[in-house]
Amino acid sequence: MKGDGWKEKMFMALTLVATLAGITILSALLALTFYEAVNWIDVQFLTSPPSRFPDRAGIYPSIVGTIMSMILVGVFSVPLGVGAAIYLEEYGRRSRFKQILEINISNLAAVPSIVYGLLGLGLFVSTLHIGAGSILAGSLTLSLLILPTVIVSSQEAIRAVPDSLREASIGLGASKWQTIRNVVLPSSIPGILTGVILSLSRAIGETAPLIMIGAATTIFTAPKSIFSTYSPLPMQIFMWTDMPKEEFLHGLAPAAIIVLLAIMLSMNALAIYLRNHYRKKLWG
Amino acid sequence: MNSSKKVTESLIKTVLLICTLLTVFVTFSIIYILLSESATFFLSVSPVEFFTGMKWTPTIKPYAYGVLPLVSGTLMITIGSALIAIPAGLLSAIYLSEYASERVRNILKPMLEILAGVPTVVYGFFAFAYITPFLKNLVPDLQAYNALSASIVVGIMIIPIVASISEDAIRAVPRSLREAGYALGARKPRVILTIVIPSALSGIIASFILGISRAIGETMAVTIAAGRTPRLANILNPADWTKSIETMTAAMVELGLSDVSGHSLAYKSLFAIGFTLFLMTLALNTVSYFVKMKYREVYR
């Protein structure tokens, strides 16, 4: 039996190693990136346009474009996603129709992002003639891309509101919509917000669909309106990995990556903060 | 309820219904756009030529639109990444559900999820800038762009998908089954391998299929790390793994970056590949959905 105990420990160690392997490799790669980025991230980098000369290059236009686009994506995807989630949870409970809609939504969530790029190209650029590579075309495409995740996370938040609250409201004579507006939505907003911020922080890293709708690889001035073309931050990173000069691959690209990850991490932190903050407030 | 209130109520219900139906509109738009553009493509290039052609040169004369080189590239990345993600994901799921304490699990699981949250363009950079130079020490023939590095990063990226769905399936196995195993004198690894895993098998398989479908659709990491060389590769030949290939998605990126005009065949071939990709991932997702439903029903 002694031999068996040894084998048991080995098996457990194997599962632990497998769990840690990916995390460890990622940490090492991130550490390398950070190490190479450190000397390049400064005020000049954050406030300059891209350049052929590594020392003068920066990401200012990309950051402005990326932020403008994320605001638009939020404006488009939140009302639509939350509206759909309210319908599915409050009006369409337990029907065949709802089941079909939900299967469709989960299928949409699994469509490769580059295919959404073709949708954006065909629908927004070719059919509706929204300028190729414009912030508007990019944001609409990304909105459709994250819509399924916004719907699903909003549904979860709405489902978490106890039925007793709804019944109390209906019992006081409130209509269905009044109940949703005054009772269900206020209690589910933290959950909805958390889901929205997490979806947005995914959208910010998307590159492939934006290449399809013709996003610029490099722009030198910050976009002025939502109809301007823009070069999303990941696009700029992609461009720099493709440049022949060593400084672009081992300096500027890591610096831009650290900025991108910092934006994503702060969004995730905000989502976690909101969730904890409101949870305490709501449930005591 | 007075009548104006009734009107408001039904109006709001209609607006919310429209929001929901938009998702159906999105699905039909995807299918319509992919179908209509590919249809005009297939009027000029026969489907036989497209699906059996061994050469892909849509922008260089003589033009050739054979998708097989791209399929072989995609297959390589898919198999390579599955070889990493499937064992690592399954073993992680076992660790998280059977061994880890609640506290350790609450730390490790979010950390594992970060793997899936890193933008794929960043994974591409990792592969090209760090992993390939590192592997060059072990494999001197390795080219700057190669299928091996790309497979490794795609594999790391999809570990969390395999791990989290497998973990759900493993956790759904009732405790009584495990206890029955212990009562018969089996030890933990044996209980896991002969009782828990087989009972959770449909969920585990669903996670594998979903991970594979994600690898097929992955774009930026493979474009950056594996390069853009459409070449009919032999998956069984180790030498082919050290060379540059082109996946279906990378070919789409290449066409997207080149300024092909809206009426050219090259532009339309973009939609023909997109349609093929869409059908492949849709088929895999559907299979995975039904396999997963099966295990849900067993233990309800």
Side-chain angles (χ1 to χ4, degrees), chain B residues 31-87:
Chain B
I31 295 171
Y32 174 76
I33 286 166
L34 293 178
L35 263 181
S36 60
E37 297 280 356
S38 328
T40 54
F41 173 79
F42 285 123
L43 283 179
S44 310
V45 178
S46 79
V48 177
E49 188 189 335
F50 181 72
F51 288 110
T52 60
M54 306 222 203
K55 254 193 148 152
W56 178 258
T57 49
T59 51
I60 316 159
K61 279 182 182 171
Y63 301 129
Y65 303 95
V67 83
L68 282 185
L70 308 179
V71 172
S72 80
T74 301
L75 220 62
M76 249 176 145
I77 301 291
T78 308
I79 290 172
S81 57
L83 286 177
I84 290 172
I86 286 179

Side-chain angles (χ1 to χ4, degrees), chain B residues 28 32 55-56 63 65 108 111 118-119 124 126-127 142 173 198-199 204 206 231 261 264 286 292:
Chain B
F28 281 116
Y32 174 76
K55 254 193 148 152
W56 178 258
Y63 301 129
Y65 303 95
L108 284 182
M111 283 178 87
V118 173
F126 286 158
L142 204 64
V173 175
S199 310
I204 291 170
R231 189 166 66 76
S261 84
S264 67
T286 311
K292 206 159 79 183

Side-chain angles (χ1 to χ4, degrees), chain A residues 187-247:
Chain A
S187 352
S188 54
I189 273 181
I192 292 174
L193 262 182
T194 310
V196 167
I197 297 172
L198 291 178
S199 308
L200 282 178
S201 75
R202 290 224 78 152
I204 212 170
E206 280 295 344
T207 326
L210 301 173
I211 293 177
M212 291 298 114
I213 59 129
T217 46
T218 309
I219 55 160
F220 296 97
T221 50
K224 292 190 177 58
S225 81
I226 57 170
F227 300 103
S228 313
T229 52
Y230 78 128
S231 171
L233 198 44
M235 194 78 183
Q236 189 62 60
I237 294 168
F238 174 54
M239 208 41 218
W240 279 336
T241 59
D242 227 17
M243 301 280 266
K245 259 192 206 160
E246 192 61 18
E247 289 96 330

Side-chain angles (χ1 to χ4, degrees), chain A residues 20-178:
Chain A
L20 294 176
I23 299 171
T24 314
I25 295 173
L26 183 73
S27 313
L29 293 170
L30 283 174
L32 268 172
T33 314
F34 190 76
Y35 172 76
E36 290 192 326
V38 142
N39 291 323
W40 291 86
I41 300 178
D42 51 18
V43 178
Q44 182 271 332
F45 178 73
L46 295 173
T47 57
S48 305
S51 162
R52 282 186 296 128
F53 307 102
D55 290 331
R56 279 191 235 155
I59 51 170
Y60 179 70
S62 287
I63 289 188
V64 175
T66 300
I67 291 172
M68 283 172 78
S69 158
M70 282 308 121
I71 293 171
L72 269 189
V73 174
V75 168
F76 295 136
S77 63
V78 173
L80 290 173
V82 176
I86 295 174
Y87 182 85
L88 288 170
E89 286 305 306
E90 300 291 325
Y91 291 95
R93 286 190 171 178
R94 279 189 282 278
S95 69
R96 183 89 193 152
F97 179 56
K98 183 192 170 189
Q99 205 187 357
I100 293 170
L101 287 171
E102 288 191 330
I103 292 177
N104 178 49
I105 290 169
S106 73
N107 266 330
L108 278 180
V111 170
S113 68
I114 197 165
V115 173
Y116 276 96
L118 291 181
L119 172 67
L121 180 62
L123 187 61
F124 302 128
V125 178
S126 300
T127 309
L128 299 175
H129 300 288
I130 299 169
S134 64
I135 294 185
L136 183 58
S139 307
L140 285 168
T141 306
L142 290 179
S143 302
L144 296 186
L145 173 70
I146 65 166
L147 194 58
T149 44
V150 173
I151 294 175
V152 171
S153 60
S154 303
Q155 270 182 284
E156 273 162 20
I158 291 169
R159 209 176 299 143
V161 177
D163 268 340
S164 57
L165 291 184
R166 291 185 186 89
E167 280 152 15
S169 169
I170 299 276
L172 287 171
S175 67
K176 182 128 196 172
W177 172 243
Q178 283 171 331

Side-chain angles (χ1 to χ4, degrees), chain B residues 97 179 193 200:
Chain B
S97 56
E179 276 155 11
L193 293 175

